[in-house]
Amino acid sequence: MTLPTTTRGQLLLVVGLAAAVGVFLATVPLHRDWFDLGVYYGTVDSWQHGGSIYDYLVPGTQYGFTYPPFAALCMLPMTLVGWPSAVAISTLLNLAAAGAILYWTAGAAVRRQGWTRWFAFAVAGCLFVLLEPVRDTFSFGQVNLLLLALVLADAWLLSTGRQRFAGLGIGLAAAIKLTPAIFICYLLVTRRWRAAATASGVAITATLLALWAAPDASRVYWTEAMWDTDRVGSLAYVSNQSWQGVLARLSDPGAPSRLVWAVGVIVLLCVWAWRARRAVAAGDEMAGFALTGLTACLISPVTWVHHLVWLFPALAVLVDAGLRHRKDDPRRRRLLRWGVAIYVVLCSSVVWLWSWDATGVDGFIGSNTYVWISLGLLLALPLREGVPAAAAHPLPRPAGSATMGACAHATEYPWESRRSARPASPTPPASRPAPSASDG
């Protein structure tokens, strides 16, 4: 397909695409009515009037606040505005975060391909908001995109040699929600000691600040609420696209095996640590962060569909890896086809076909579709050699024979055919809200 090259043609395409996306978002997917934002808003309002952060429940539901107390502290300014203003602010913050995410993940490819920047980012933005995790983040009023933007800010700092402030974003994100804490582990595994210390220091400082501001809530969270998975909903619910969710649906109505879950988590962490170190050794910082996001989704006990915004950096890396090859190179077509296929599935809401019955072979495969995507990307995401603005201190490659070198190439580019050894050219469900409401 040939895209327009004139400004008028590009503008007409963007307007038409934006209109089509707007109609789709307004008519097809189930809107979540800012349910999770309502949890945040109600929690901080109750707290301001003398209530306890973790005693508040949305009227008529079992859903309450499940983030660390520092998150409630950050959300306290919502009490200064009414509900319509809170919705507007949430939407604007998510739009800003989406813009930052697209810039950090796709900016280099846009410059390298010589595309018109405003046109490329406008088209990318339209495609981005069609992803189910992104749609749900906006309509739930969630914080996922904000946390992803904080983490990717550190990826940008590390990949451009600005290590002085690296770790600030990860530390803040980890203090707001526990899942991003795995990126501190990433910094440790890849031996970025200063950034890891910064992230840990920021997270600890923010947590201590919350302890000072809300001592009782901090005690309740760290000793009770954090360990109570019943607060966030059923582990077997189809929206839980994690390793734990797979086991829960297999054993439903019984409880999933904790031993099997723990063994699976250990295996996943070993694969992640190995691949993350290879990514940094190749100078591909964004791939290292992408692999870490995939792992966070897989090992978390609860990964609702809207949490899967953490998959987007991996999708961006996959597409960029394809674009780096010549147009006549079969590897380019292969990688881009995989990228398009994964994108279409992530837009499709396909897992909800099994929202009420995930039994049988079709249920096992279909209800866990997003888990298989996460696992496939963790195992096979291509690493891009010689990425511009690579990490300042890449890890040394293990020494070995020519045979070992060939094996290393095969594992770093598992999506590519083994015959292609030549170097690359230099050129909706039910209408009730999902039980993720409070977890985010």
Side-chain angles (χ1 to χ4, degrees), residues 159-232:
S159 65
T160 55
R162 297 174 172 87
Q163 287 87 356
R164 181 179 179 183
F165 298 106
L168 289 174
I170 290 173
L172 282 174
I176 293 171
K177 185 177 178 181
L178 297 180
T179 302
I182 191 175
F183 288 91
I184 299 178
C185 299
Y186 167 76
L187 296 174
L188 293 171
V189 165
T190 56
R191 302 175 185 175
R192 253 65 71 80
W193 310 119
R194 175 170 179 165
T198 299
S200 300
V202 170
I204 292 170
T205 300
T207 301
L208 292 176
L209 177 62
L211 176 63
W212 170 79
D216 290 339
S218 295
R219 176 188 59 79
V220 170
Y221 178 77
W222 295 108
T223 61
E224 300 175 26
M226 184 178 73
W227 312 100
D228 184 7
T229 57
D230 291 336
R231 291 177 61 90
V232 298

Side-chain angles (χ1 to χ4, degrees), residues 53-410:
I53 293 175
Y54 298 103
D55 285 343
Y56 173 81
L57 296 177
V58 175
T61 76
Q62 62 178 353
Y63 303 125
F65 198 74
T66 59
Y67 293 164
F70 180 70
L73 198 61
C74 293
M75 297 172 184
L76 201 55
M78 280 198 295
T79 59
L80 301 175
V81 301
W83 173 248
S85 296
V87 170
I89 292 170
S90 170
T91 302
L92 290 173
L93 288 174
N94 276 324
L95 284 172
I101 290 165
L102 288 172
Y103 176 78
W104 285 323
T105 56
V110 170
R111 291 189 295 271
R112 191 179 61 253
Q113 296 295 321
W115 295 330
T116 305
R117 288 194 182 185
W118 73 266
F119 175 65
F121 282 114
V123 172
C126 290
L127 297 177
F128 183 70
V129 298
L130 288 177
L131 290 164
E132 184 184 7
V134 177
R135 299 194 315 251
D136 276 3
T137 291
F138 273 91
S139 65
F140 267 125
Q142 260 291 338
V143 297
N144 304 304
L145 291 174
L146 298 174
L147 298 179
L148 178 56
L150 284 173
V151 169
L152 291 183
D154 280 343
W156 177 77
L157 289 172
L158 288 169
S159 65
T160 55
R162 297 174 172 87
Q163 287 87 356
R164 181 179 179 183
F165 298 106
L168 289 174
I170 290 173
L172 282 174
I176 293 171
K177 185 177 178 181
L178 297 180
T179 302
I182 191 175
F183 288 91
I184 299 178
C185 299
Y186 167 76
L187 296 174
L188 293 171
V189 165
T190 56
R191 302 175 185 175
R192 253 65 71 80
W193 310 119
R194 175 170 179 165
T198 299
S200 300
V202 170
I204 292 170
T205 300
T207 301
L208 292 176
L209 177 62
L211 176 63
W212 170 79
D216 290 339
S218 295
R219 176 188 59 79
V220 170
Y221 178 77
W222 295 108
T223 61
E224 300 175 26
M226 184 178 73
W227 312 100
D228 184 7
T229 57
D230 291 336
R231 291 177 61 90
V232 298
S234 170
L235 294 176
Y237 189 58
V238 74
S239 184
N240 186 12
Q241 292 292 301
S242 67
W243 167 233
Q244 179 81 301
V246 174
L247 297 179
R249 283 184 285 278
L250 281 174
S251 60
D252 191 46
S257 169
R258 293 186 178 182
L259 177 61
V260 175
W261 175 77
V263 171
V265 166
I266 292 172
V267 172
L268 289 168
L269 286 173
C270 289
V271 173
W272 159 73
W274 173 66
R275 295 221 70 210
R277 285 176 59 84
R278 303 290 306 180
V280 174
D284 196 347
E285 192 74 61
M286 187 57 70
F289 272 74
L291 291 166
T292 306
L294 294 167
T295 305
C297 292
L298 287 167
I299 69 173
S300 175
V302 177
T303 298
W304 303 129
V305 168
H306 57 262
H307 294 161
L308 296 177
V309 295
W310 295 100
L311 270 62
F312 180 73
L315 181 59
V317 168
L318 177 61
V319 172
D320 181 65
L323 291 173
R324 287 170 179 268
H325 296 295
R326 295 191 308 268
K327 291 185 178 180
D328 60 346
D329 193 323
R331 289 174 295 180
R332 178 187 176 103
R333 292 191 296 271
R334 187 178 303 114
L335 291 172
L336 293 181
R337 284 170 182 169
W338 274 111
V340 171
I342 291 172
Y343 170 81
V344 170
V345 174
L346 288 175
C347 291
S348 69
S349 303
V350 65
V351 298
W352 297 102
L353 295 174
W354 291 271
S355 57
W356 302 116
D357 183 8
T359 59
V361 175
D362 67 311
F364 174 69
I365 296 173
S367 69
N368 301 307
T369 299
Y370 299 159
V371 180
W372 309 139
I373 290 176
S374 299
L375 183 60
L377 288 169
L378 176 63
L379 295 173
L381 186 69
L383 306 182
R384 301 162 298 175
E385 292 277 4
V387 176
H393 302 287
L395 296 174
R397 287 184 174 276
S401 64
T403 302
M404 291 180 64
C407 292
H409 177 85

